[in-house]
Amino acid sequence: MSAAPVTVTEVRVLEGPNLYFPRPAIKIVVDAAGYLGADEGTLGAICTRLGLRGARPGAADSEQRQRAVMRLVAQVVRRIAAGSGTTRLGVRVRTGRSRGEVVVAFPWRWQGRAMALGQCLGPALVGLLDPDEAVGQGAIGAAVSTVIAAEQGAHFTMNKPKIPVVSVTGTNGKTTTTRLLAHLGMSAGLLTAWSSTEGVLAQGELIEPGDYSGPAGGRLVLTAPGVQLGILETARGGLLLKGMGVSVNDVSVVTNVSADHLGQQGIDTVDQLAEVKAIVTKITKPTGWVVLNGDDPRVWAMRVGIKARPWVFSLDPDSPALRQSFDLGGRGISVLDGDVVVLAPHRDPDHLIAVVDVPVTLSGLSEHNIANALAATAAALGLGLPREAVVQGLATFATDPGHNPGRMNVYSLPLAGAGSATVIIDFAHNEAGLEALLAVAGGLRPPGSAVHLGLGTGGDRTDEILQGLGELAGRRADRVSVVHKASYLRGRQMAQLEAQLRIGLARVGVAEIDSYPSELDGLAALVAAASSGDVLAVMVHADRVGLQEWLSGRGATVDSARDIRRKVTLARGEHEAEAAIAALWAEPDAPARIGAARDLLDSDPGDPRLIFELASAYDDAGEQMEAISSYDKALGAGLGEPHRHRALLQLASSYRTVGNLTAARAILDALFMDRPGSAAVAAFRALTMLDQGEAPAAVADLIDVLLSRSGDPDDQAYRAVLHAHAQELH
């Protein structure tokens, strides 16, 4: 029999704790198709020669055969290692991307010799398939000789931190959690350094730009001059390709696990991705804390196998995970009565701060960032940071470009016509991130306004994920445009990526969308089509700095915590001064009411709602000229619905009262076209038409509106004849 193909397709050095071992390891990927298709008797004989007595290889290409090949490959690794002087070698073996692919890993002490073993594994496996047993024995012997002759190379060294270290991982929220936790550390007076996807920073100053969410970031953080606390954002790519950058951590945080980057580095399912994320929890010191998302079953399952104590965070204070954490000697953190609270068994809840007073939560609007704040708080307290410093840090960390660039940055942008729009810049890159972005956009949208979405992501997502993004966008946004990211296509063409997004959009009935070659082009187009009060949300990867500069150049300002709270209140159809406005209208004296409205406006002179209330107070007091001027100011300042409609109607009424029937009629005609079924508009318009000598037409319009609003069954008999009479009056 001739030797069938066996190929080693990858030999990778993992420099720290990894998916296979809590220490440096070698990962080898073997395409063992020759073994998968070999004759069952031949393979059984090879297993026997290797000491795998009783092995049942099973039929060719079967799953039973796959398992037998995995055992065989692991045994060959042990044979070569033993022959070269390494006994009792730990070997882990897994299935690969196909049935014929085997992934095998083992820890290394000397990197050069370990690499040599990996590189000679393929020839050894090929030799064993030869029908001449001597060829197989010779292949094993040659591999042993190669390993013995290889230079030892570097000796493994574990990077043992001398300062407290926190490792933060998860599919979403890890960058925000890392930055917030670093801010809490600095609030406690510690010289804090951290690594992230945007670089390595110390005390907020950039040391090294670039994606440092892997082991290189950890090394740079720990060597920063004078560093007292290290926070390491830890992404799946670094864990799979290099391993952890540190041997242990004091606290680990897992924010969530959702579908993202599947189909890469052998990770095809969310469960496999969760296994990768769990690496950070397994190297946490027994005296430390593992902070886990109790609302994510895959994350909470990571409590199994950890040596440290669990500290669960959950948005539900009655979550079963909280009780289970207490049973394991752990703690919890949640939201109770609107406050961030620390929970421990047999103790009263410790109320730290109101959620609405934590700026990163966007006045409590962003559940995603509430969870991130809970995770960072638990980690900070787990490190032993003072409670008062943690509370201060929570109250001073904002979602602005300074504290958290590219993550839920909210702007107010003046529009060319009148009023302003809200713009959200966010690094949403998967379904969970987009869902969080759209939830915030919807929560900032006032009644009658629209959400415009700039949809786009990297090309390294599966077709299923891209289609899911399109479906979610079409279901939750009022207008969707694709904004491409040329530097993040990662092997795809723009047209291919967009086609998958369009498939998802079509599932929810969105067939026509615009497409732009860059995020900046997309934002400019969204702004051009926006009306006052609209919310524009852009998924940003490559052009964040360019978008920020473009917005600044057009007069956009970053929203403060107070600005965001006001927008959240307005989106609910309310105003932050609602109680004061109600008290104003409870005042029976008209001059006193005007004075109260002026005082209220003095507290925020540019607020269109407060200008409208002053106009209404003038109107109610019979001071129509002052009312007209104030109505115009309120409308020009971007007064939103439903008050915009009311202001127009009252402005028209004031014009009629002072005898300017032409101005009144122009406003009322536009309103009548916009809301043909409105009884109030029809009535005011009819009164104006009566003043203009158009009594028959006024009666006709009132008949049509009255009939359109009537639900009386008896009216059906007269509907046609009454409409005919109305037509005759025109």
Side-chain angles (χ1 to χ4, degrees), residues 482 484 493-503 513 515:
V482 173
H484 284 291
Q493 299 295 318
M494 283 188 182
Q496 295 172 335
L497 191 153
E498 186 173 317
Q500 298 303 320
L501 295 173
R502 286 179 178 271
I503 289 172
I513 61 170
S515 175

Side-chain angles (χ1 to χ4, degrees), residues 9 17 46 191 246 350 368 375 502 507 535 556 624 633:
T9 59
I46 295 173
L191 198 159
V246 293
D350 181 11
H368 179 70
R502 286 179 178 271
R507 287 178 187 159
V535 179
Q624 265 66 45
K633 288 178 183 177

